[in-house]
C-alpha cells in the first residue's frame, strides 16, 4: 500500500498529488521539486501504477516485489536502484531482525519500498521535513539521509552486540556458569545473530563505495542521479560502515574464540571428573581385592586362625586407603 506521497518544492512539503504523471511532469518542469512516494509491501497491482508512471526497470521492480535481496546498487537507464537492510536488536532475546528497504531515485522522483518491521523511513521523512536544507538537494538528499540513518543504526546494534558478548564471556569464564549445558547453545545462537547482522552490513560496502567513489569499487565515473557534491557525505557514511564491518568481524572472531574456550573448559572438567571417578574406583578396589582373597573359602589359608587377623586386615585396608587418598589428593585427582 502507499504509505505516504508528497511533492517537495525548494525543501518544503507541498500538496499530495492526485495524478503521479502530472505531478512528475510539473516537478521536472520547475527544476526545484521532486515527488516522493513511500510504499509498504505493495502488491503487484499496486506497484504497477508506480512502475508505469516512472518507467522503472522490470528487473528492479521484480526485486522490489519479491524482497529477500542483498544490499546492492544497480544503475538503469531511467533510475538508480538501491537495496538496504535496516536491522533491530532485541537484547532480552538476543535476536537480530532485519527488514528490507528499496529505493528508486531518478529525475525528480524518489520511490521507497519497505518490507518487514525494522524501518527508519517514517522518522527520516519527518526529520527531513524539519531540516529543509537536505530536501533542497532533491532525491540525492533523501538517499543520503536514509543511508546515513541505516548505517548509524548499525553502529548502535554493534554496540549492543558487544555489550551482550561481554556478558556472555563473563558467564563462560565464571567458576559456575561456564559449565551450564545451555551455554554452548547460547553461544551458537549469538553467533547466528552476528551472521544475520553481517548479511546486512557486509554487502553494503560496495554500494557505499560506489556512491562515495572511493576504493577499488568507486570508479571514476559519477553515479547517475546522484549529485556530485554529495560525495563527501556518502564518504562519511562509508567510513561509518567500515567501522561497523570491522566491529562485526571482531565480534565473529571473539564468539568463535569464546565457543572454543567453552568447549575446552568442558573437556577439562570432564577429564577432572574422570580422574576423580578413577581415583575413587582405585580406592574401592583395594579393600575389595583383600576381602576377595580372604573370602575364597579355602581350608588351608595362612592367617585364617590368627586371633588378630581380622583387625590386622582392617588396619591394613585403612592404611592403604589413606596412602591412596593422600597420593591422589597431592596430584589433584580429588
Amino acid at each position: 500500500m502507499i504509505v505516504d506521497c508528497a511533492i517537495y518544492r525548494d525543501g518544503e512539503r507541498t500538496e499530495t498529488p492526485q495524478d503521479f504523471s502530472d505531478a512528475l511532469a510539473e516537478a521536472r518542469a520547475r527544476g526545484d521539486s521532486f515527488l516522493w512516494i513511500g510504499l509498504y509491501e505493495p502488491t503487484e497491482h499496486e506497484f504497477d501504477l508506480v512502475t508505469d508512471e516512472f518507467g522503472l526497470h522490470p528487473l528492479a521492480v521484480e526485486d522490489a516485489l519479491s524482497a529477500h535481496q542483498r544490499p546492492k546498487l544497480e544503475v538503469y537507464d531511467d533510475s538508480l536502484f538501491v537495496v538496504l537492510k535496516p536491522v533491530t536488536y532485541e537484547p532480552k532475546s538476543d535476536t537480530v531482525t532485519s527488514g528490507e528497504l528499496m529505493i528508486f531515485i531518478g529525475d525528480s522522483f524518489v520511490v521507497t519500498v519497505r518490507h518487514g518491521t525494522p524501518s527508519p523511513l517514517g522518522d527520516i521523512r519527518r526529520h527531513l521535513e524539519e531540516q529543509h536544507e537536505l530536501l533542497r538537494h532533491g532525491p540525492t538528499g533523501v538517499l543520503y539521509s536514509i543511508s546515513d540513518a541505516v548505517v548509524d543504526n548499525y553502529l548502535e546494534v554493534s554496540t549492543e552486540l558487544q555489550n551482550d558478548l561481554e556478558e556472555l564471556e563473563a558467564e563462560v569464564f565464571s567458576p559456575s556458569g561456564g559449565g551450564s549445558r545451555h551455554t554452548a547453545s547460547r553461544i551458537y545462537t549469538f553467533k547466528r545473530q552476528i551472521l544475520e547482522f553481517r548479511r546486512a552490513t557486509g554487502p553494503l560496502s560496495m554500494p557505499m563505495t560506489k556512491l562515495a567513489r572511493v576504493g577499488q569499487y568507486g570508479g571514476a565515473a559519477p553515479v547517475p542521479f546522484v549529485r556530485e557534491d554529495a560525495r563527501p557525505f556518502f564518504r562519511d557514511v562509508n567510513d561509518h560502515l567500515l567501522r561497523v564491518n570491522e566491529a562485526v568481524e571482531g565480534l565473529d572472531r571473539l564468539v568463535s574464540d569464546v565457543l572454543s574456550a567453552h568447549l575446552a573448559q568442558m573437556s577439562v572438567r570432564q577429564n577432572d571428573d574422570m580422574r576423580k571417578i578413577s581415583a575413587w574406583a582405585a580406592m574401592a578396589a583395594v579393600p575389595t581385592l583383600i576381602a576377595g582373597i580372604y573370602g575364597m573359602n579355602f581350608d588351608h589359608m595362612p592367617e585364617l586362625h590368627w586371633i588378630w587377623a581380622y583387625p590386622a586386615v582392617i588396619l591394613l585396608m585403612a592404611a592403604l586407603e589413606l596412602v591412596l587418598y593422600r597420593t591422589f589428593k597431592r596430584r589433584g585427582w580429588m
Side-chain angles (χ1 to χ4, degrees):
M1 62 178 178
I2 297 178
V3 177
D4 200 352
C5 177
I7 296 176
Y8 294 89
R9 184 174 297 120
D10 193 27
E12 298 280 352
R13 178 170 182 148
T14 61
E15 74 278 1
T16 298
Q18 300 298 320
D19 184 270
F20 295 156
S21 180
D22 293 341
L24 183 61
E26 180 183 353
R28 287 173 174 172
R30 289 182 60 91
D32 61 349
S33 306
F34 70 95
L35 177 63
W36 183 358
I37 300 174
L39 301 101
Y40 175 67
E41 296 185 356
T43 64
E44 185 174 352
H45 174 70
E46 290 172 336
F47 207 69
D48 283 343
L49 301 175
V50 178
T51 302
D52 295 338
E53 296 295 343
F54 297 101
L56 305 180
H57 197 279
L59 292 177
V61 171
E62 181 181 352
D63 289 344
L65 287 172
S66 61
H68 304 294
Q69 303 297 315
R70 286 164 50 92
K72 61 182 178 179
L73 182 150
E74 295 180 348
V75 179
Y76 297 102
D77 293 337
D78 298 322
S79 63
L80 181 70
F81 180 56
V82 180
V83 179
L84 304 173
K85 292 182 77 70
V87 300
T88 57
Y89 182 62
E90 179 53 53
K92 293 183 179 179
S93 59
D94 296 339
T95 304
V96 173
T97 305
S98 63
E100 290 191 36
L101 187 55
M102 287 80 168
I103 309 168
F104 295 87
I105 69 171
D107 183 11
S108 302
F109 72 85
V110 178
V111 177
T112 53
V113 183
R114 178 165 62 92
H115 291 270
T117 302
S119 175
L121 268 183
D123 294 336
I124 292 172
R125 189 186 283 259
R126 285 189 292 271
H127 175 72
L128 284 172
E129 290 174 357
E130 295 172 358
Q131 305 292 329
H132 307 298
E133 187 60 34
L134 280 173
L135 282 175
R136 289 192 178 97
H137 291 82
T140 300
V142 175
L143 177 61
Y144 161 72
S145 298
I146 296 175
S147 303
D148 186 54
V150 170
V151 173
D152 283 349
N153 186 61
Y154 289 165
L155 288 170
E156 296 176 6
V157 172
S158 67
T159 301
E160 292 287 341
L161 288 170
Q162 181 65 49
N163 293 336
D164 284 356
L165 178 58
E166 291 174 359
E167 295 178 4
L168 194 58
E169 285 178 321
E171 178 183 337
V172 168
F173 294 107
S174 66
S176 58
S180 172
R181 61 183 178 179
H182 301 297
T183 303
S185 176
R186 280 198 61 198
I187 296 173
Y188 182 74
T189 301
F190 193 79
K191 189 174 179 65
R192 293 280 303 191
Q193 303 313 310
I194 292 177
L195 177 61
E196 180 69 21
F197 187 38
R198 198 175 193 174
R199 288 173 179 162
T201 64
L204 188 57
S205 293
M206 188 180 295
M208 285 298 110
T209 300
K210 287 183 178 180
L211 290 170
R213 292 176 60 192
V214 296
Q216 58 177 329
Y217 301 114
V223 179
F225 310 109
V226 176
R227 293 168 56 116
E228 184 66 18
D229 55 2
R231 285 178 57 191
F233 297 94
F234 285 109
R235 191 177 300 127
D236 180 66
V237 176
N238 187 57
D239 289 342
H240 290 176
L241 183 62
L242 288 175
R243 285 172 50 195
V244 171
N245 283 328
E246 289 173 358
V248 172
E249 290 288 341
L251 286 170
D252 190 49
R253 287 195 299 269
L254 281 173
V255 172
S256 297
D257 292 342
V258 168
L259 180 59
S260 298
H262 172 68
L263 295 177
Q265 281 184 327
M266 295 296 294
S267 178
V268 168
R269 285 175 179 158
Q270 288 175 352
N271 289 337
D272 288 342
D273 293 340
M274 288 302 299
R275 285 190 298 180
K276 290 178 181 179
I277 294 171
S278 299
W280 285 110
M283 291 176 64
V286 170
T288 302
L289 174 65
I290 296 174
I293 291 174
Y294 281 92
M296 290 190 293
N297 297 323
F298 288 111
D299 290 333
H300 303 287
M301 289 184 67
E303 301 97 18
L304 283 179
H305 301 289
W306 289 7
I307 296 176
W308 299 104
Y310 177 74
V313 170
I314 295 300
L315 287 174
L316 176 63
M317 290 181 181
L320 291 175
E321 290 292 293
L322 181 61
V323 170
L324 288 174
Y325 179 80
R326 291 176 63 85
T327 301
F328 291 142
K329 189 73 173 177
R330 187 165 52 250
R331 294 185 176 182
W333 284 35
M334 301 188 72

